Amino acid sequence: MAKTKEHSKDVRDKIVDLYKAEMVYKTIAKQLGEKVTTVGAIIRKWKKHKRTVNLPRPGDPCKISPRGVAMIRTTVRNQPRTTREDLVNDLKAAGTIVTKKTIGNTLRREGLKSCSARKRSPCSRKHIHARLKFANEHLNDSEDNWVKVLWSDETKMELFGINSTRRVWKRRNATYDPKNTIPTLKHGGGNIMLWGCFSANGTGQFHRIKGTMDGAMYRQILGENLLPSARALGMGRGWVFQHDNDPKHTAKETKEWLKKKPIKVLEWPSQSPDLNPIENLWRELSVRIAKCQPRNLNDLEKICREEWDKIPPEMCANLVANYNKRLTSDCQQGFCHQVLSHVLQRGQILISIIKIQINL
């Protein structure tokens, strides 16, 4: 909305004097060439404040110029990891002194918000093409197809590392009270390796991996947990097993073991843990474990089993129902990467041509 014209004090005084002379709004407006609504607004303000002088407006003017806002927006767009302190220093070098809070308010007005960066495995061009191919092949799959998938993965749970972000209420000078601290040890105080699976119907069996897992141990885990989980979850006929491309999973003996059962395996792109919805369940499990505060590794294993079984089936069903959103996001990112690669490739060709011309 554009800013309206501000009337002078003389005009406002004339309107008030004519009103005191018992003229109606319409007559005053016609005589002075103003709108009836303008006359009414000025008279209402005069009745409220008993004066016609403009009142001082609350709040300080914006300290950052439009040019400074554009600089902040460009910097954050090109380097999303830029901190508010970095932007404060950049503006200070340009002659504008502001606080980090002002920077935060400016960014929010521009539609930006601060959040934790998602962790993602580094992908080569080959991996990106494989991910894009997987997303395109399954983008139009119905939810019923994903309901038939039994998702699996391994993860590591640390004893104390998961509690590192807990917050406490404390009194002054009680920072190091044992009740207000979290025990920390090197390497997280020990950890356990876990294998688990789930489907849209809920969580499957849970297994603790002791020692270093090789192909033989992995096949033993599948033999003890995979088919019982499928039966318990009511997968029925035609269900599909998902696991990543770990060498133990893709070993010749493992493939033959799965083929003999027979168990159909979902073709999976390498370096794509974020495509597996079980990662959300591992996160949920770590949050639940942090609230229980296990004392040792045996206690950690016991709590893991208990909390894994408590994860509601509704959460599992929701992860599967929204799986196509992951694929849609991957297609968009893959398309952008292909465009960028094409531009870079053309740029390199152009540079080569220029070098050849210079040499000639």
Side-chain angles (χ1 to χ4, degrees), residues 139-176:
L139 185 61
N140 297 322
D141 289 357
S142 65
E143 184 180 337
D144 294 336
N145 290 341
W146 299 117
V147 169
K148 296 179 181 179
V149 177
L150 185 61
W151 308 87
S152 72
D153 194 21
E154 300 89 24
T155 190
K156 178 175 69 174
M157 287 291 173
E158 293 186 347
L159 182 59
F160 294 129
I162 53 179
N163 297 321
S164 58
T165 58
R166 292 295 297 267
R167 303 181 68 87
V168 296
W169 294 98
K170 69 178 184 63
R171 295 184 180 276
R172 188 177 180 182
N173 299 327
T175 301
Y176 294 102

Side-chain angles (χ1 to χ4, degrees), residues 312-340:
E314 294 78 13
M315 179 179 293
C316 301
N318 186 54
L319 289 174
V320 175
N322 294 322
Y323 190 70
N324 274 359
K325 292 182 180 179
R326 297 174 186 252
L327 301 181
T328 302
S329 175
D330 238 41
C331 285
Q332 295 172 350
Q333 293 174 6
F335 174 76
C336 293
H337 183 272
Q338 285 191 342
V339 171
L340 179 60

Side-chain angles (χ1 to χ4, degrees), residues 55-293:
L55 298 174
R57 291 175 174 81
D60 294 333
C62 185
K63 291 185 177 181
I64 304 177
S65 65
R67 185 174 181 179
V69 173
M71 185 271 290
I72 292 173
R73 186 171 56 244
T74 303
T75 302
V76 173
R77 183 178 65 243
N78 295 335
Q79 299 176 351
R81 297 182 185 180
T82 304
T83 63
R84 292 184 300 170
E85 187 174 357
D86 293 336
L87 295 173
V88 168
N89 294 333
D90 291 344
L91 288 177
K92 186 176 181 180
T96 303
I97 299 176
V98 294
T99 63
K100 291 191 290 186
K101 184 177 181 181
T102 302
I103 295 293
N105 293 337
T106 303
L107 291 172
R108 280 189 287 273
R109 283 196 296 270
E110 293 297 318
L112 299 168
K113 67 176 183 178
S114 176
C115 60
S116 300
R118 296 291 182 89
K119 294 182 180 180
R120 195 167 192 174
S121 301
C123 292
S124 65
R125 180 171 295 185
K126 179 181 178 181
H127 295 148
I128 292 174
H129 285 308
R131 287 172 64 99
L132 185 57
K133 180 183 177 183
F134 177 84
N136 286 328
E137 289 178 351
H138 298 282
L139 185 61
N140 297 322
D141 289 357
S142 65
E143 184 180 337
D144 294 336
N145 290 341
W146 299 117
V147 169
K148 296 179 181 179
V149 177
L150 185 61
W151 308 87
S152 72
D153 194 21
E154 300 89 24
T155 190
K156 178 175 69 174
M157 287 291 173
E158 293 186 347
L159 182 59
F160 294 129
I162 53 179
N163 297 321
S164 58
T165 58
R166 292 295 297 267
R167 303 181 68 87
V168 296
W169 294 98
K170 69 178 184 63
R171 295 184 180 276
R172 188 177 180 182
N173 299 327
T175 301
Y176 294 102
D177 188 298
K179 294 181 180 179
N180 299 331
T181 60
I182 295 173
T184 58
L185 295 173
K186 289 185 179 181
H187 312 295
N191 58 73
I192 59 175
M193 290 295 298
L194 306 172
W195 177 92
C197 63
F198 90 101
S199 74
N201 296 328
T203 56
Q205 292 197 14
F206 191 83
H207 184 84
R208 177 182 175 180
I209 303 170
K210 296 183 179 180
T212 303
M213 184 172 69
D214 55 12
M217 182 185 293
Y218 180 65
R219 292 189 292 275
Q220 182 181 355
I221 292 173
L222 295 183
E224 296 175 355
N225 299 277
L226 183 57
L227 293 177
S229 295
R231 286 192 291 267
L233 294 172
M235 300 298 293
R237 293 183 177 181
W239 64 277
V240 181
F241 176 53
Q242 181 278 331
H243 60 177
D244 57 32
N245 292 330
D246 185 281
K248 296 178 286 293
H249 303 172
T250 57
K252 182 179 179 180
E253 293 82 358
T254 304
K255 289 183 177 180
E256 291 177 353
W257 186 91
L258 291 168
K259 189 175 181 180
K260 288 179 181 178
K261 289 304 175 179
I263 298 174
K264 186 179 179 181
V265 179
L266 179 66
E267 186 177 352
W268 193 253
S270 300
Q271 294 289 68
S272 304
D274 52 308
L275 284 181
N276 193 343
I278 200 173
E279 296 294 334
N280 298 70
L281 294 188
W282 292 140
R283 172 61 183 169
E284 173 67 18
L285 181 63
S286 66
V287 172
R288 289 168 174 260
I289 294 170
K291 295 178 181 179
C292 297
Q293 300 182 357

Side-chain angles (χ1 to χ4, degrees), residues 21-34:
E22 299 183 352
M23 282 190 181
V24 297
Y25 289 0
K26 189 174 182 180
T27 305
I28 297 173
K30 187 175 182 180
Q31 183 173 336
L32 298 179
E34 300 288 347

